[in-house]
Amino acid sequence: MDYKGYLIDLDGTMFRGEEVIEGAKQFIDLLNDRDIPYLFITNNATYTMKMIVDKLNRLDLKATEHNILTSAMATAKYIKDKNDQARCYVIGETGLVKAIENEGLIVTDKHCDYVIVGLDRQITYEKLAKACLLIREGAKFIVTNKDAAIPTELGLMPGNGAIASSIEVSTGIEPIIIGKPESIIMTEAIKKIGISKQDVLMIGDNYETDIKAGIHASIDTLMVLTGYSTREDLKLVEVQPTFVMENLLEWIEKGFDKVAT
């Protein structure tokens, strides 16, 4: 349990909307006090790095841009490695568009190499139709993540998976998925945090994304019961998280604080 670094989910683990989750501040303060590196790794592609840092700091959760990896950032890096002049049709919000542009890729709706789909809370039929047409013309279909729902202070809201599924059903094309639980974002996360897998713990609230991401990457996992998944859900899965805690306060009391000195 003496981990040298942490990969930490945001929505449902650190906060719900504008509400800080119990134990989140105490845990991040301990990591900073003890100079233990951490990386927030989120499937949320709607925010830029600056927007995430500003939100975390507003909620009194210390972070800089060095602590952030989003599915939007991982998507942009993945595409640039394949084609640094790629033309991309983007369904998504500011975080995804900026990530694509920051890598020097072209955002357009004509003659596209890629159709990229992230959470878009202003989604329209016209956007979905355009994506389907471009994919049928030969554009590769990429999805930042397939989260079915996202936790908010009001409850679980539709996630990007709900949007992406409609395009997949219409076109019959299975997308390349970048975010958790897939390996693409985890490979980028390990590279960015700079610590061996065996010394890193993945923390999250969603078994299907956060915990499976750690399992698939051979990284130990801590599931906190503060967001999406429940103890009842765990009765239905074969591979269990390494640890299950009510929240990060319990991790501090039962695990972290006994070894991270």
Side-chain angles (χ1 to χ4, degrees):
M1 296 172 71
D2 190 7
Y3 296 101
K4 297 178 181 177
Y6 289 82
L7 304 178
I8 309 167
D9 175 55
L10 287 176
D11 293 291
T13 302
M14 291 284 105
F15 52 70
R16 301 182 201 90
E18 292 296 317
E19 173 190 342
V20 179
I21 290 173
E22 186 177 19
K25 173 176 165 48
Q26 295 92 323
F27 181 62
I28 298 304
D29 286 347
L30 279 171
L31 294 181
N32 283 297
D33 289 345
R34 299 177 185 185
D35 200 27
I36 297 173
Y38 58 96
L39 183 65
F40 293 116
I41 174 172
T42 176
N43 275 355
N44 190 330
T46 63
Y47 293 151
T48 64
M49 279 196 296
K50 183 179 185 304
M51 290 165 69
I52 293 175
V53 169
D54 287 347
K55 177 171 182 174
L56 288 167
N57 290 337
R58 184 174 71 249
L59 296 176
D60 205 17
L61 299 168
K62 295 179 183 177
T64 71
E65 292 192 359
H66 296 292
N67 300 116
I68 308 298
L69 177 64
T70 71
S71 62
M73 296 162 59
T75 296
K77 289 180 183 297
Y78 173 83
I79 293 172
K80 184 167 185 176
D81 286 345
K82 302 290 184 183
N83 178 357
D84 62 6
Q85 298 295 315
R87 297 172 62 87
C88 306
Y89 178 66
V90 180
I91 291 178
E93 299 183 17
T94 302
L96 181 55
V97 174
K98 289 292 185 185
I100 297 299
E101 291 177 339
N102 287 344
E103 292 295 339
L105 305 172
I106 301 165
V107 176
T108 181
D109 63 356
K110 295 179 177 63
H111 310 297
C112 294
D113 302 297
Y114 294 91
V115 168
I116 306 163
V117 179
L119 182 63
D120 186 338
R121 287 166 289 191
Q122 287 77 46
I123 190 66
T124 64
Y125 180 84
E126 287 72 20
K127 291 180 182 180
L128 294 173
K130 185 66 176 179
C132 291
L133 289 170
L134 289 168
I135 290 167
R136 289 192 178 98
E137 290 171 4
K140 293 181 176 63
F141 182 19
I142 292 187
V143 173
T144 60
N145 67 287
K146 287 202 78 176
D147 293 27
I150 51 176
T152 73
E153 63 268 41
L154 298 176
L156 292 173
M157 297 293 191
N160 189 42
I163 297 171
S165 292
S166 66
I167 298 172
E168 183 176 354
V169 169
S170 177
T171 61
I173 301 297
E174 187 174 343
I176 298 166
I177 304 168
I178 303 297
K180 299 173 289 184
E182 304 305 321
S183 61
I184 295 171
I185 196 169
M186 296 304 288
T187 299
E188 185 66 28
I190 292 298
K191 182 167 65 176
K192 186 164 183 173
I193 199 170
I195 297 172
S196 299
K197 288 182 180 182
Q198 63 266 26
D199 294 321
V200 173
L201 183 68
M202 176 75 211
I203 302 176
D205 66 294
N206 188 327
Y207 181 88
E208 294 300 320
T209 56
D210 308 317
I211 303 307
K212 277 188 176 179
I215 292 168
H216 292 168
S218 301
I219 295 171
D220 284 355
T221 56
L222 164 61
M223 193 176 95
V224 287
L225 302 171
T226 54
Y228 188 84
S229 298
T230 66
R231 289 191 189 275
E232 290 299 312
D233 294 330
L234 292 179
K235 295 178 181 178
L236 304 176
V237 302
E238 182 176 351
V239 181
Q240 295 291 307
T242 313
F243 309 100
V244 180
M245 302 278 173
E246 289 296 324
N247 52 45
L248 285 167
L249 280 181
E250 186 177 357
W251 174 249
I252 292 169
E253 294 166 358
K254 293 185 176 179
F256 178 89
D257 211 33
K258 294 180 180 178
V259 297
T261 58

